[in-house]
Amino acid sequence: MHELVTLSHNLPETARAPLTGVTGNGPRIFIQTYGCQMNVSDSQTIESMLGEAGYRFCDSPDSADVVLVNTCMIRETAEVRALGQLANLSSLKKQNPSMVIGILGCVAQAKRKEVLESHPYVDLVVGPDSYRRLPILLEERFISPPGTPGLLETTLLREELYDDILPRHHGGVTAFVTIIRGCDKFCSFCVVPRTRGRERSRPLPSILREVEHLVAQGVRDVMLLGQNVDSYRWEDRDFADCLLAVADIAGVSRVRYMTSHPSDISEKLLRTMGDHEKICPYLHLPVQSGNNRVLKEMNRPYTRERYSEIIELARRIMPDLALSTDVIVGFPTESDDEFMDTFRLMEEVRYDTAFMFKYSERPLTKAAARLVDDVPEDVKVERLQRLITLQQSIARERNEAQLGKQTSVLIEGAAPKDRNMWAGRTPDFRPVVLPMNGESVGDLVQVQLAALSGFTFHGARLS
Ligand code: SAM
Ligand code: SF4
């Protein structure tokens, strides 16, 4: 079952589009990226390092000398998909035994030895803090005699921020910029703190340098990334200061971010968002559950009441705010009544978008160690379906309520279904198409939201 309703900036666990381009004369490399925006951003950092080392990028594993699979293991389905791709590569390697296959990312970090044992044709297993070693590891691998066991590099390094590397931008007006790595929250269901290590913030000057570099390449819309951006600290600057500094860069039209945590989000941040036109009125605030006992079991240190207060304050400061969330159903011991608390919270809050997941037991987590995954699969599926149905109708109603509104659209490119129309987004991230009229990609156009088909608006240009 598809677990996402109303596709938004939160990219699902699907493979990213491969990179095409030539930056050197060396071996051809193909990088396949699974998972969240952090993985996409990491792959761009790797591309930058390997491009400098002379690698050429290709758009298919068939023509590659090196294939790297950047993996996600947030849920079992994500892990299975990434390992399935590795298995597909084994037949390519049979045809081309000199091909180097590497596994990167969270599965590499958490399942290092198991991966090498179960996939003996894998040449490299490299965790998220060891990408700097990739050029050397690849060189070493190229000269290793056939049959040499795969190389393993999975040390978690508290100081690694890759902040001196400008990730390779793939074009377009939107870019991700990582500002904080790792996570110290240890939600009981989540494997991320085990695979990405301790939380550390990137120095503000290096973030600003990267954004300026992106603006010079045509980027207008910057999404600041971190597992918990509200924890950002550099010297005496907090996340609101960082957001503001990025918004102040000439050429930046919009700044967005994800993800916030309800325990750490501050009134200062909400007021900063409300005060600045360039900071998008969009807040992704994962609630996970609407029941206080379940939240406690999840090690989410806020209550449903506190969460609702934050939403109320945010909407008071920004009446036009679009809200999204993440929700897990079927967490161990969740009863029908407790699930209904989540259902009712979603009815009350009325999110614009929600990312809803069935609980998936993950190795190395507290929930896996202490609790039995006791909610039957059919009950999880039913709860998920109920939430999806509810959220679809709320999202539709919230979109319909936008009709007639005057707003700006940032033009991202030609609409895929009609090359005579532009496709873009409103500041609260709703997709809009509008007729071309001499504008360019990256321009901001004032429109009235005139009609809606599915989840896409038709914009009528305002003079
Ligand atoms: N750091 C972010 C936060 O706390 O909101 C999100 C990180 S995680 C990549 C994205 C979402 O995956 C989480 O918010 C949660 O809803 C979901 N998730 C994490 N672990 C999960 C699990 N074991 N089973 C199901 N969903 C999970
Ligand atoms: Fe995982 Fe919780 Fe950290 Fe988000 S805040 S990455 S859900 S541990």
Side-chain angles (χ1 to χ4, degrees):
M1 183 178 304
H2 204 286
E3 295 177 343
L4 296 160
V5 166
T6 67
L7 255 193
S8 176
H9 60 269
N10 202 354
L11 301 171
E13 294 156 349
T14 49
R16 301 288 96 226
L19 172 79
T20 321
V22 176
T23 57
N25 298 310
R28 284 157 302 176
I29 191 160
F30 175 76
I31 304 180
Q32 178 102 54
T33 306
Y34 291 87
C36 64
Q37 294 90 340
M38 301 290 291
N39 263 13
V40 175
S41 171
D42 279 359
S43 287
Q44 291 171 352
T45 300
I46 293 164
E47 285 159 13
S48 171
M49 285 187 285
L50 294 179
E52 293 247 318
Y55 286 81
R56 294 177 290 160
F57 299 103
C58 57
D59 57 10
S60 145
D62 304 332
S63 51
D65 303 303
V66 178
V67 179
L68 301 177
V69 182
N70 196 354
T71 59
C72 169
M73 68 179 292
I74 196 81
R75 284 166 289 278
E76 196 185 358
T77 45
E79 182 181 336
V80 167
R81 216 170 299 153
L83 290 176
Q85 170 65 357
L86 263 196
N88 295 338
L89 293 173
S90 76
S91 52
L92 269 186
K93 184 144 176 163
K94 278 190 196 121
Q95 292 159 28
N96 173 13
S98 63
M99 171 190 261
V100 172
I101 297 178
I103 170 165
L104 316 177
C106 291
V107 179
Q109 186 66 41
K111 300 220 153 166
R112 28 197 160 211
K113 293 209 176 98
E114 288 154 79
V115 169
L116 276 186
E117 277 161 22
S118 56
H119 301 74
Y121 50 87
V122 167
D123 299 278
L124 298 175
V125 178
V126 182
D129 286 349
S130 304
Y131 298 148
R132 231 176 249 282
R133 299 256 306 133
L134 270 170
I136 292 170
L137 292 170
L138 282 168
E139 262 184 49
E140 202 175 321
R141 199 61 198 173
F142 281 131
I143 56 168
S144 310
T148 310
L151 301 171
L152 202 69
E153 191 63 74
T154 54
T155 317
L156 285 174
L157 300 168
R158 202 178 245 276
E159 66 277 13
E160 183 55 275
L161 284 158
Y162 302 110
D163 55 321
D164 55 326
I165 297 164
L166 291 169
R168 185 159 193 259
H169 178 54
H170 288 212
V173 294
T174 294
F176 299 145
V177 174
T178 300
I179 63 161
I180 180 167
R181 295 183 71 86
C183 181
D184 285 350
K185 289 286 182 225
F186 290 94
C187 300
S188 65
F189 51 80
C190 183
V191 73
V192 168
R194 303 285 175 194
T195 58
R196 288 188 162 270
R198 299 286 60 74
E199 184 179 280
R200 63 273 191 196
S201 298
R202 190 174 158 186
L204 185 56
S206 87
I207 296 171
L208 301 182
R209 194 167 56 241
E210 183 175 330
V211 175
E212 281 162 4
H213 183 72
L214 288 165
V215 167
Q217 294 174 76
V219 168
R220 297 289 171 265
D221 174 23
V222 177
M223 160 117 57
L224 302 179
L225 290 183
Q227 296 298 349
N228 177 13
V229 290
D230 306 302
S231 298
Y232 181 85
R233 282 285 175 287
W234 179 75
E235 298 188 340
D236 60 347
R237 311 289 191 94
D238 62 14
F239 178 56
D241 301 325
C242 170
L243 201 52
L244 208 49
V246 172
D248 276 345
I249 292 177
V252 169
S253 303
R254 289 182 178 170
V255 191
R256 301 179 277 131
Y257 63 90
M258 73 182 305
T259 301
S260 268
H261 193 291
S263 307
D264 295 344
I265 191 166
S266 68
E267 183 165 345
K268 175 181 171 187
L269 173 62
L270 296 173
R271 294 206 179 277
T272 304
M273 288 173 73
D275 284 347
H276 291 271
E277 213 187 335
K278 285 191 195 175
I279 305 176
C280 294
Y282 188 106
L283 180 61
H284 181 64
L285 195 63
V287 67
Q288 313 297 359
S289 167
N291 176 270
N292 288 340
R293 188 196 68 83
V294 175
L295 284 172
K296 205 162 178 208
E297 288 288 354
M298 288 177 159
N299 195 26
R300 299 282 293 190
Y302 51 87
T303 59
R304 172 203 179 99
E305 292 73 25
R306 173 69 192 132
Y307 184 89
S308 299
E309 274 169 29
I310 299 166
I311 299 292
E312 206 185 304
L313 176 66
R315 281 191 165 143
R316 212 177 318 130
I317 295 171
M318 290 168 280
D320 275 346
L321 183 71
L323 266 172
S324 65
T325 198
D326 292 344
V327 172
I328 297 177
V329 297
F331 183 80
T333 73
E334 181 191 65
S335 68
D336 282 338
D337 285 350
E338 289 168 337
F339 161 72
M340 282 311 292
D341 284 340
T342 303
F343 187 92
R344 282 187 287 267
L345 180 93
M346 292 185 69
E347 278 183 321
E348 274 164 42
V349 174
R350 295 178 61 76
Y351 295 101
D352 295 275
T353 306
F355 301 90
M356 295 159 276
F357 309 105
K358 285 180 288 170
Y359 171 72
S360 166
E361 188 176 271
R362 300 288 59 212
L364 311 175
T365 61
K366 258 194 197 154
R370 293 189 187 164
L371 298 168
V372 176
D373 184 7
D374 60 354
V375 178
E377 179 64 16
D378 58 337
V379 175
K380 286 183 188 170
V381 169
E382 199 222 313
R383 289 179 188 170
L384 182 63
Q385 194 50 57
R386 288 187 68 182
L387 285 193
I388 289 175
T389 306
L390 169 71
Q391 179 55 30
Q392 274 172 335
S393 77
I394 293 173
R396 206 173 301 118
E397 285 164 17
R398 287 193 59 83
N399 264 343
E400 282 164 2
Q402 301 287 316
L403 286 170
K405 185 176 167 182
Q406 300 191 352
T407 184
S408 66
V409 171
L410 177 69
I411 294 182
E412 293 176 355
K417 288 189 187 158
D418 181 349
R419 309 304 285 176
N420 297 315
M421 302 279 281
W422 287 124
R425 291 198 182 252
T426 62
D428 52 354
F429 218 61
R430 298 178 202 275
V432 180
V433 291
L434 64 153
M436 291 181 175
N437 190 20
E439 304 86 356
S440 304
V441 169
D443 285 353
L444 282 173
V445 182
Q446 290 301 313
V447 301
Q448 181 163 43
L449 300 177
L452 188 58
S453 61
F455 285 99
T456 303
F457 287 91
H458 287 253
R461 191 177 283 87
L462 296 169
S463 52

